[in-house]
Amino acid sequence: MPIGKPDDSINASVLRPTDCSTELALILKLGSFLAGLPSLREMLEGAISIITEYFKLDAGRVYLIDGNGQSLILAGSKGIDTDGLEKMRLNEGFSGMAVRTRSFLTRHVSELDDERRAGFYSRHGLKTIICVPLMVRNEIMGVMNFAATKDVLPDSAQIDLLCAAGSQVAIA
């Protein structure tokens, strides 16, 4: 069916997740969820839940840049003990690298320079870390950090989808 031509089988004023591709359904579900919550922690932890469920990841965290622009502060998490992970400098870990470079990254835990942090992830059975920068109008606000107990290498479509999800979270 050509774009712009109405289809009687779909109510043109309401696009439901069941009416579209699974990728678009994720963005619609996430956008709808983010629009309805007043609490920042609730919003971030719900977004982490939606994304980890969709991509079958084991854990997630969101860090926001502090007021001085020098550190990342844990603002929400799901599926991982965050003791000792509440704050990090921008020159630390994969999350700091994603913020500094303003880029998506996927890394194996064994690639971490910080032995303490690598040991922490290994003890929890985690193998892969995925970082999605949170940006609005080229301003970096923080990073979503996901972890998996298996080796994960997202393809370009999955990377695009994770970045689109990150944009939704950053805007919210």
Side-chain angles (χ1 to χ4, degrees):
M1 176 174 64
I3 292 178
K5 187 175 178 187
D7 179 358
D8 293 335
S9 68
I10 297 176
N11 180 343
S13 65
V14 178
L15 184 61
R16 296 175 308 271
T18 55
D19 297 331
C20 54
S21 70
T22 58
E23 293 85 2
L24 183 55
L26 170 67
I27 297 302
L28 291 172
K29 180 178 182 178
L30 187 59
S32 179
F33 173 79
L34 293 171
L37 291 173
S39 159
L40 179 63
R41 182 168 291 277
E42 239 183 336
M43 180 185 71
L44 295 174
E45 290 179 352
I48 292 166
S49 293
I50 290 168
I51 296 166
T52 55
E53 180 182 323
Y54 180 88
F55 285 98
K56 297 180 179 27
L57 300 168
D58 299 290
R61 292 171 290 162
V62 174
Y63 288 94
L64 300 177
I65 297 177
D66 71 359
N68 298 326
Q70 301 298 311
S71 298
L72 293 168
I73 307 298
L74 184 67
S77 69
K78 176 196 177 287
I80 190 168
D81 172 24
T82 57
D83 191 34
L85 301 175
E86 299 88 358
K87 184 176 180 178
M88 71 176 78
R89 294 183 310 272
L90 290 181
N91 63 351
E92 288 185 279
F94 298 143
S95 294
M97 181 187 300
V99 168
R100 288 190 318 276
T101 62
R102 297 170 175 246
S103 60
F104 177 94
L105 64 89
T106 302
R107 296 287 189 271
H108 196 274
V109 167
S110 64
E111 296 177 62
L112 267 168
D113 291 336
D114 183 339
E115 290 180 20
R116 180 188 61 84
R117 193 173 300 242
F120 174 87
Y121 290 136
S122 293
R123 283 190 303 280
H124 285 83
L126 300 172
K127 293 183 177 181
T128 305
I129 305 295
I130 298 170
C131 296
V132 181
L134 300 177
M135 296 180 60
V136 175
R137 293 191 177 137
N138 208 29
E139 180 181 341
I140 189 86
M141 305 174 74
V143 63
M144 286 192 305
N145 173 314
F146 298 100
T149 56
K150 59 189 179 289
D151 290 326
V152 175
L153 186 58
D155 62 30
S156 62
Q158 291 168 325
I159 292 169
D160 289 346
L161 187 55
L162 279 163
C163 290
S167 291
Q168 289 246 325
V169 171
I171 290 167

